[in-house]
Amino acid sequence: MRELATVIVGCGLIGRQYSRSLRSIGARVVAVCDPDPARRESVAALIGARAFATLAEAIAATRPDVVCICTPAPAHHRAVLEAAAVPAHVFLEKPMAETPDQARRMVDAMAASGRAFGFGLKMRFESVFAEAHRLVEAGTIGVPLEVVLTYNQNVPPPDRLWYLDEGVLLGSMPHPFDLANWWLGRTPERLRAETWRRLGHAGEDRVHAVAAYEGGARAVVQMAYHRDFPEVAARDDIVFQIVGERGYLLGQRPDSLVSVTSAGRRTHPTPPVEPFAAELRAFLDAASAGLPPPVSGETGLLIQEMTAAAASSAATGEWVELA
């Protein structure tokens, strides 16, 4: 992998995680940006990078090859356009944007720049989900017809209660929507959803969605935060089943995966992996080699359109067609 000079934008929870992951894979982080002096100086000291208040300052001083954007969603649109103008490769943490129109403008700007545009869907790199995809691709269960996925967590701690104001559609549903599309190998044609606000915050805290695909395939996805729920985040919070014409896969995050076919029941190994490091390495390797990113900005746009369709359906009670 050719060393690419990388800038991290946003030094909160995810920016700090990116800094650790990029350091662990030997990436060259030359600068970090955050309007909060304490946060940016803390992360800069952690990885030996320069600290700036804004991306514009970091670009002027370092002319980076790569910009990793870890800010809240309202800042994504401007940051991507600034990076596209360098031009630099961009890796963008989810959610992609506030609206599909913003997301389309970002995709168009990056396409015009000729640089790679990667999107952060780290669950594709977690072993239990990646092995399920490999088994589907290998034909273990035949043509996949149905995905059922449930995703439940305790209410976030006080320093991350903003997740409840953002809402689970933008904040959490990109992952299960993407996994369903990835496993089924298809793009949904229409979507229907219900949402609830039970916990007194601005965003929805429970979503139930059904996506319909060509050929009759379906994905049923549920995500919610609950009071007094066990502390299971990133461990036992996701359970899924992928049903095919010749059997099914049954999995539970982080490491339980079985297949049931005419050959019997088999348990599949899912060795531990650090997904942030894995996805960032895969993106940097692709960008360095001039190859398409493993998870593209176009994928992020599709997920943005799905979350917008889910919100529209929840408001009207009707199916929403996806272009």
Side-chain angles (χ1 to χ4, degrees):
M1 177 178 75
R2 181 176 74 84
E3 264 199 337
L4 300 174
T6 301
V7 168
I8 297 173
V9 187
C11 295
L13 177 71
I14 298 299
R16 186 171 288 271
Q17 175 64 61
Y18 272 46
S19 69
R20 290 192 296 265
S21 297
L22 287 165
R23 183 177 61 176
S24 76
I25 63 174
R28 184 165 70 97
V29 180
V30 296
V32 300
C33 315
D34 196 287
D36 185 294
R39 288 199 308 199
R40 66 177 181 259
E41 293 295 344
S42 172
V43 173
L46 179 69
I47 56 177
R50 299 171 69 182
F52 297 91
T54 68
L55 175 56
E57 292 172 345
I59 287 171
T62 66
R63 301 301 293 181
D65 299 304
V66 177
V67 175
C68 291
I69 300 170
C70 309
T71 62
H76 285 183
H77 180 249
R78 178 178 176 180
V80 169
L81 297 188
E82 285 187 67
V86 173
H89 305 295
V90 170
F91 190 87
L92 177 64
E93 181 58 30
K94 61 87 186 163
M96 189 171 191
E98 295 180 287
T99 67
D101 283 345
Q102 282 186 346
R104 288 188 198 98
R105 288 195 293 271
M106 292 151 68
V107 168
D108 290 344
M110 287 304 300
S113 79
R115 297 298 190 263
F117 189 15
F119 189 60
L121 289 167
K122 73 179 182 67
M123 286 189 187
R124 286 200 188 193
F125 295 84
E126 294 185 31
S127 292
V128 68
F129 306 126
E131 179 64 7
H133 181 259
R134 188 192 70 79
L135 292 169
V136 170
E137 289 288 288
T140 301
I141 60 171
V143 176
L145 301 172
E146 188 100 22
V147 168
V148 179
L149 185 150
T150 66
Y151 185 10
N152 294 280
Q153 293 185 357
N154 195 9
V155 172
D159 64 331
R160 295 203 294 277
L161 280 177
W162 58 266
Y163 278 118
L164 294 177
D165 290 323
E166 181 179 62
V168 297
L169 272 176
L170 277 179
S172 299
M173 287 293 279
H175 286 304
F177 276 160
D178 178 64
L179 289 174
N181 296 345
W182 193 43
W183 289 332
L184 290 169
R186 279 164 272 190
T187 298
E189 295 179 327
R190 60 189 186 279
L191 190 146
R192 188 170 186 176
E194 293 180 89
T195 62
W196 293 262
R197 289 171 173 81
R198 305 161 299 153
L199 303 178
H201 289 262
E204 65 284 327
D205 49 69
R206 181 184 173 207
V207 176
H208 185 279
V210 180
Y213 299 76
E214 182 182 1
R218 293 286 188 275
V220 180
V221 177
Q222 174 268 332
M223 197 279 156
Y225 287 111
H226 308 275
R227 294 199 190 280
D228 304 318
F229 207 68
E231 290 292 348
V232 294
R235 296 189 304 277
D236 302 298
D237 53 350
I238 294 178
V239 178
F240 64 90
Q241 185 179 36
I242 309 169
V243 180
E245 293 179 323
R246 298 201 303 269
Y248 67 85
L249 303 175
L250 183 64
Q252 183 176 12
R253 197 186 195 197
D255 56 11
S256 174
L257 181 65
V258 300
S259 60
V260 178
T261 67
S262 59
R265 183 183 189 276
R266 180 185 171 193
T267 299
H268 298 270
T270 55
V273 65
E274 204 293 278
F276 284 105
E279 71 170 351
L280 288 165
R281 179 186 293 278
F283 172 74
L284 291 174
D285 284 348
S288 180
L291 299 173
V295 185
S296 68
E298 287 80 2
T299 299
L301 173 57
L302 170 61
I303 299 304
Q304 187 84 42
E305 290 171 339
M306 290 181 69
T307 58
S312 178
S313 175
T316 64
E318 302 294 333
W319 285 93
V320 173
E321 300 293 322
L322 290 158

